[in-house]
Amino acid sequence: MTSNPLDLTEPSTSGSAPEVVSELLLRNLTQVFDERDGDRRRTAIAELWAPDAVFVDPMGRFTGHAALDAAIAELHSHTPAHRFAAVGVPSVHVGGGLLNWSYGPDGDLARVTGQDVAVVAGGKIVALYTYLDTPAPSETANDGAGVRETVESFFRLLGEGDADRVAELFAEEVDWLIPGNENLPWIGRRSDRRQIPEVIKIIGSLHVPGKSEASMEKVLVDGSDAVALGRFAHTVTATGRPYSMLVAFHFTVENGQIVRMNMYEDTYLVSTAFEASD
């Protein structure tokens, strides 16, 4: 049996206690992502990560130890003088946490900053999502306040279940994409805003009313682009199975309208919830 990267419904255990999560986040930053020696890094990965764990960053999705190690080695090859450093202490709870970090040459005032969001079970990292911050001046220079307001309106109307008003936020031609298992009816690409209400209504019809939760933890804005990070929880009507997952959205807003909405979710987890019990 493989571990479920985003199943947050498991009961609390010592292997996912807050102190364990904090230690894993810090050790992962220094002993995995900042480690230049390949042998030492692979040893740390084997100790800290579940065998089929998932790592997602702006460059892609990587599953398993070998893929993770290769992704880090590729990063190091392009940034030979850069080092990671934790910024503050991790923010943790049972089963997960967040660590702020910076990356760049020592003493460089323009170091890249970002966050690692980890899901932990059995004393191992089973999923890690890495997000990059954007410089604050860019948000102001490119009317980031208007972009943020549009994105926040999207989530507010989505939470109210008003599919038609959600669609009104989009341009007539849109790049709407939810990649993953296309056996799920809402997965795939849409290009016409008239298709959006149908997608939203399909998702609602397949889940138990009143048993859905959504929380957006952060919205990062850079010019006309925004990334929103959060968590969705639903219960499948057909099977009665609940699931909870971290989600990420990439929006592009032009002239007050959304022209791109790409949503990234764990469709393997969702598909499992839709499968009938044996």
Side-chain angles (χ1 to χ4, degrees), residues 121-154:
K124 303 275 189 178
I125 297 171
V126 297
L128 187 80
Y129 293 81
T130 292
Y131 303 102
L132 303 182
D133 290 329
T134 53
S138 297
E139 181 174 334
T140 302
N142 293 284
D143 192 25
V147 173
R148 184 182 300 276
E149 181 179 356
T150 300
V151 171
E152 290 175 348
S153 294
F154 169 85

Side-chain angles (χ1 to χ4, degrees), residues 73-240:
E74 178 70 12
L75 171 66
H76 289 173
S77 71
H78 294 291
T79 55
H82 287 47
R83 303 302 301 266
F84 280 99
V87 177
V89 298
S91 175
V92 299
H93 52 72
V94 174
L98 178 148
L99 175 65
N100 291 288
W101 47 259
S102 68
Y103 185 61
D106 290 338
D108 187 349
L109 297 179
R111 289 167 64 91
V112 176
T113 60
Q115 301 85 35
D116 286 343
V117 179
V119 180
V120 172
K124 303 275 189 178
I125 297 171
V126 297
L128 187 80
Y129 293 81
T130 292
Y131 303 102
L132 303 182
D133 290 329
T134 53
S138 297
E139 181 174 334
T140 302
N142 293 284
D143 192 25
V147 173
R148 184 182 300 276
E149 181 179 356
T150 300
V151 171
E152 290 175 348
S153 294
F154 169 85
F155 289 113
R156 176 177 54 80
L157 294 172
L158 189 65
E160 295 172 358
D162 195 335
D164 293 327
R165 290 186 64 195
V166 170
E168 291 174 0
L169 296 173
F170 287 78
E172 291 186 6
E173 295 184 3
V174 61
D175 176 15
W176 170 293
L177 174 64
I178 308 177
N181 183 353
E182 294 189 357
N183 289 325
L184 298 171
W186 63 83
I187 297 300
R189 186 181 298 276
R190 274 78 173 177
S191 58
D192 190 321
R193 77 175 174 193
R194 290 174 295 183
Q195 298 171 294
I196 294 174
E198 179 186 7
V199 176
I200 296 172
K201 292 172 183 177
I202 287 174
I203 294 173
S205 69
L206 295 174
H207 296 96
V208 178
K211 290 191 175 182
S212 294
E213 296 180 4
S215 62
M216 301 313 299
E217 305 299 334
K218 179 173 288 191
V219 177
L220 309 173
V221 179
D222 181 13
S224 60
D225 289 290
V227 172
L229 316 175
R231 183 178 68 85
F232 284 175
H234 299 286
T235 298
V236 179
T237 301
T239 65

